[in-house]
Amino acid sequence: MINLKMTGTTDEYVGQFKLLSNRAGIVGDAMLKHHFIKGLNDGIKRWLVDNGVPGTFDELCEQVQERDSRWRFMQDLTANTRKPFQFNFQRNQNQWP
């Protein structure tokens, strides 16, 4: 549990963390938040430093999931616009000369 690291989406991490913390009997917002933040990726940790850590563990999970969801949405949008436009200058045999 203490060594759990985020390797996928925050939704996956939150689900795994909640399952394992329940099994381990970890209670209390301070302890949950401490272990949860330790396992987050560095980008989300930096975001938390800039924006502050919410008061409760549930609020932390919600805000981290919302931030990750927005980031992934923007990644999808920009990935679709990064493809350079290419002209096709090859002449088709059936076209006019």
Side-chain angles (χ1 to χ4, degrees):
M1 161 70 209
I2 293 175
N3 295 324
L4 182 64
K5 299 287 181 197
M6 182 179 161
T7 57
T9 66
T10 52
D11 290 339
E12 294 166 342
Y13 178 66
V14 167
Q16 291 172 345
F17 185 89
K18 286 182 176 182
L19 177 70
L20 294 175
S21 63
N22 283 337
R23 285 184 185 170
I26 297 175
V27 294
D29 278 342
M31 187 64 77
L32 287 168
K33 289 185 336 184
H34 170 77
H35 288 294
F36 182 80
I37 291 170
K38 276 179 57 178
L40 291 171
N41 68 37
D42 290 341
I44 296 177
K45 286 179 187 176
R46 280 191 295 276
W47 180 81
L48 286 171
V49 167
D50 292 342
N51 294 283
V53 177
T56 68
F57 174 68
D58 289 334
E59 290 171 342
L60 173 62
C61 291
E62 288 173 19
Q63 287 189 14
V64 166
Q65 286 173 299
E66 177 63 27
R67 185 259 180 210
D68 188 50
S69 175
R70 281 187 270 145
W71 182 83
R72 289 179 189 281
F73 176 74
M74 288 304 297
Q75 289 296 106
D76 288 343
L77 286 178
T78 57
N80 292 331
T81 60
R82 288 186 188 159
K83 297 175 185 166
F85 182 76
Q86 294 180 341
F87 289 98
N88 184 0
F89 290 111
Q90 294 178 350
R91 201 173 118 206
N92 187 332
Q93 296 294 333
N94 297 328
Q95 288 181 337
W96 48 271

